[in-house]
Amino acid sequence: MIHTLLEGRKVVLASASPRRKTIFEMIGVKTLIHPSHIDETIVYKQPRRSAIGHAREKAEAVARIMDPDCIVVAADTIVYLDGEILNKPISTDQAVEYLKRLSGNTHSVYTGVCVTRGIREVYDCERTSVTFKELSDTEIQQYLETQEPFDKAGAYGIQGYGSQFISKLNGCYFNVMGFPVHLFQKMLHQLLGTE
């Protein structure tokens, strides 16, 4: 299990995301939180490449200033619909636009993960398919009033009020929350040579 693989090791989470911190606490892993503050401007149109690229940049930026024996973990989550990446909304109007586009449609959530230790680096990406029910204008307005959409890719959070909008999920739930736990366990085995 992950908590036994990491027992006695210094783990650094290169993320300011409260959701990722919660997931690590849930699986029994204590981490030092050290956000990377990289420029997350989307460079690639391909969501998988972009998510992995940002995760690697975050991990490498933090690993450079940490003890080489630390395990540095970074992730980047992208919501992808109709050939376009939906970032964190920068305004109420953009949040409304995103939610209307997601309404009644199926989109993909990609999370790129990178784990480093010294000169070793492992990276991969998880994809989950998410279907929204049809949203009324009233539901969208009530959701905006919760303030939940504004710090989340795609303008929704699966673990909060936004859970009410999801009619179908195909893949990893924790991936949509921001960190695919099963993939992380597989990557740790690769990094530590314990497979």
Side-chain angles (χ1 to χ4, degrees):
M1 297 186 80
I2 294 170
H3 71 283
T4 55
L5 279 172
L6 295 176
E7 193 172 6
R9 300 180 190 272
K10 187 174 180 183
V11 180
V12 180
L13 181 56
S15 175
S17 165
R19 273 86 51 198
R20 293 189 184 118
K21 182 175 184 281
T22 297
I23 290 171
F24 271 79
E25 289 169 352
M26 182 193 70
I27 60 174
V29 177
K30 290 183 180 174
T31 63
L32 172 67
I33 305 295
H34 197 292
S36 62
H37 306 296
I38 65 153
D39 177 12
E40 291 188 57
T41 305
I42 299 298
V43 180
Y44 310 110
K45 287 197 178 275
Q46 302 94 337
R48 179 183 174 84
R49 187 175 176 196
S50 193
I52 289 174
H54 284 161
R56 290 185 70 193
E57 287 177 36
K58 291 176 185 180
E60 291 164 5
V62 172
R64 278 193 290 272
I65 58 172
M66 292 292 164
D67 182 298
D69 202 42
C70 288
I71 294 175
V72 177
V73 184
D76 188 67
T77 300
I78 286 174
V79 173
Y80 191 69
L81 174 68
D82 296 333
E84 186 181 343
I85 293 170
L86 306 185
N87 296 310
K88 294 175 184 176
I90 57 170
S91 66
T92 299
D93 287 346
Q94 190 172 59
V96 170
E97 177 204 334
Y98 284 179
L99 291 165
K100 284 187 173 185
R101 289 178 62 189
L102 293 169
S103 174
N105 286 313
T106 298
H107 63 276
S108 296
V109 177
Y110 293 83
T111 300
V113 179
C114 182
V115 188
T116 70
R117 182 176 181 223
I119 60 168
R120 289 184 53 85
E121 178 181 79
V122 177
Y123 52 88
D124 205 341
C125 187
E126 184 79 27
R127 177 185 169 272
T128 302
S129 175
V130 182
T131 303
F132 264 39
K133 70 172 192 160
E134 292 280 349
L135 304 181
S136 68
D137 289 344
T138 300
E139 285 176 308
I140 290 173
Q141 185 54 44
Q142 288 173 343
Y143 189 46
L144 294 174
E145 289 168 6
T146 70
Q147 298 297 306
E148 187 175 270
F150 296 104
D151 72 333
K152 293 170 183 64
Y156 78 94
I158 193 172
Q159 72 286 350
Y161 297 103
S163 61
Q164 300 166 66
F165 303 153
I166 296 167
S167 61
K168 186 178 177 185
L169 184 99
N170 186 5
C172 175
Y173 168 89
F174 292 106
N175 183 49
V176 184
M177 193 172 161
F179 195 77
V181 177
H182 173 74
L183 177 64
F184 177 53
Q185 182 182 38
K186 176 183 158 192
M187 293 170 68
L188 270 180
H189 280 299
Q190 292 171 352
L191 182 80
L192 301 172
T194 53
E195 284 189 297

